[in-house]
Amino acid sequence: MTVLPMGRAVMVLGAGRLSTQDFPDVSPGAGDAVVDVSYGGVCGSDVHYWQRGEVGESVLADPMVLGHEVVGTVRTAAADGSGPAAGTPVAVHPAQTCGECPRCREGRDNLCPHLRYLGSAARRPHTHGGFAERLLVPGHRLVPVPAGLPLRTAALAEPASVARHALTRMTALAGGVRGRHVLVTGAGPIGLLVVALAHLEGAAAVTVTDLHPQPLAVARRVGATGTLTAGEPLPQVDVAFESSGAPVAVATALGALLPGGTLVQVGQLPGDGVAGPWHLTVPRELTFAGSSRFAGGMAETLATIAAHPALFAPIVSAEYTVDEAEEALAVASRPERSSKVLLRFGTP
């Protein structure tokens, strides 16, 4: 069973067209829970569907409920005991996978060819997202939020899991970030979460670049030891994470790597390809690798956030009501004035 929106939901109808619609309540099956949604984080993909009607190769063909960064409280527990009890604060895992293909069996379910992600137009019918008052959710896709962690901060669970997966990729490829000089290009929400996690993992230094002063100021609050405006000369670094998705940032990151360095690409790059100083990869023996979404659950990520809530809280920059959804997406589209923007459902 997939996730189904219930109650009032935020929908994108086409490029530049946002609306709300009421969805009927659905009786849960034995393995389904009902969640009262508290917060939904606005992702760049939500903004792109609203602005352009597409995200890369995923083109909006029908109206779709947005949102894949969702936290709330279990209203009705799954009758078969497959999920948390009623009253439990939870994060909703956004991915539906087959569990049977070679990638799923390897523990790389983020690469499942049958994957469906909340709020995605990659397949038709589209997969409705979680920007709704209530959700019908398979119980096994609910991850309990640690006691004492505010749901406003727990709303970072999905993007923080994406950032954590990028660091896991770096560990597999290059031994991790501990004791190393790390470069992060782009101080959007994912970049900021990479900064915080690299700081916690013992990076010797974390240098962050961005076009705007406000996200760089947030970067300093969450663990950056140095910040630079894009275009300024960079130090030579051991490893780099490119989170902006800008082709020029890829070139910048490659040029900053010391011999033997590794670049993990987290930001979505343009579909028509990227030109850059790829000639450097041979004499310097550089490694370039992608990082897509995240594999496994979110429990470890939530535990990390709960252990350091003051470090992660500054990444949430604003929250808006459902009635202010269009304003929320507009603010989220302006990185010079926002980091992670939340939609609030119900009572905080």
Side-chain angles (χ1 to χ4, degrees):
M1 183 68 175
T2 188
V3 176
L4 295 177
M6 300 188 296
R8 195 175 181 205
V10 177
M11 300 192 72
V12 59
L13 308 180
R17 299 167 60 206
L18 199 70
S19 181
T20 59
Q21 178 176 323
D22 286 327
F23 283 77
D25 284 353
V26 178
S27 297
D32 297 322
V34 177
V35 174
D36 288 322
V37 176
S38 296
Y39 291 103
V42 178
C43 177
S45 63
D46 300 315
V47 172
H48 293 157
Y49 279 128
W50 168 60
Q51 289 182 326
R52 304 197 298 261
E54 62 183 22
V55 177
E57 296 179 348
S58 300
V59 180
L60 195 70
D62 305 296
M64 182 181 74
V65 178
L66 293 171
H68 57 263
E69 306 173 8
V70 183
V71 294
T73 303
V74 177
R75 170 185 284 206
T76 305
D80 66 359
S82 59
T88 304
V90 293
V92 178
H93 197 296
Q96 174 186 325
T97 57
C98 73
E100 299 176 355
C101 69
R103 299 292 83 79
C104 284
R105 291 198 300 269
E106 293 168 357
R108 304 180 74 187
D109 53 0
N110 58 316
L111 303 179
C112 174
H114 308 290
L115 180 144
R116 280 183 172 270
Y117 219 73
L118 292 183
S120 171
R123 299 178 183 273
R124 197 173 186 190
H126 300 333
T127 307
H128 280 315
F131 284 175
E133 290 178 310
R134 296 178 299 284
L135 294 175
L136 186 76
V137 188
H140 68 87
R141 288 175 63 177
L142 298 178
V143 183
V145 171
L149 179 62
L151 283 173
R152 175 183 163 101
T153 307
L156 294 169
E158 192 275 349
S161 295
V162 172
R164 180 172 169 269
H165 181 66
L167 269 81
T168 299
R169 294 279 287 147
M170 186 65 78
T171 298
L173 294 163
V177 301
R178 180 173 294 278
R180 291 178 163 174
H181 192 162
V182 178
L183 171 66
V184 179
T185 54
I190 297 294
L192 292 170
L193 289 160
V194 169
V195 171
L197 292 170
H199 166 70
L200 291 175
E201 289 195 11
V206 182
T207 297
V208 185
T209 68
D210 198 90
L211 294 170
H212 308 293
Q214 179 168 316
L216 291 176
V218 179
R220 290 190 289 271
R221 294 180 65 187
V222 300
T225 56
T227 56
L228 295 168
T229 302
E232 291 188 271
L234 289 175
Q236 293 291 284
V237 299
D238 303 299
V239 295
F241 297 88
E242 203 302 287
S243 69
S244 72
V248 66
V250 178
T252 297
L254 283 171
L257 287 174
L258 289 162
T262 299
L263 169 59
V264 170
Q265 181 67 37
V266 192
Q268 291 286 344
L269 294 169
D272 55 357
V274 175
W278 299 105
H279 63 284
L280 297 176
T281 61
V282 174
R284 298 190 192 179
E285 283 198 359
L286 303 180
T287 299
F288 177 85
S291 181
S292 178
R293 295 182 172 134
F294 64 100
M298 295 188 287
E300 298 88 349
T301 303
L302 279 165
T304 299
I305 296 173
H308 308 275
L311 180 67
F312 290 91
I315 297 173
V316 177
S317 57
E319 60 180 76
Y320 294 85
T321 67
V322 176
D323 290 328
E324 301 167 318
E326 190 158 349
E327 182 181 356
L329 268 69
V331 171
S333 73
R334 299 182 60 184
E336 73 277 9
R337 58 175 290 198
S338 69
S339 295
K340 176 54 66 179
V341 173
L342 303 181
L343 272 180
R344 186 177 71 247
F345 296 82
T347 302

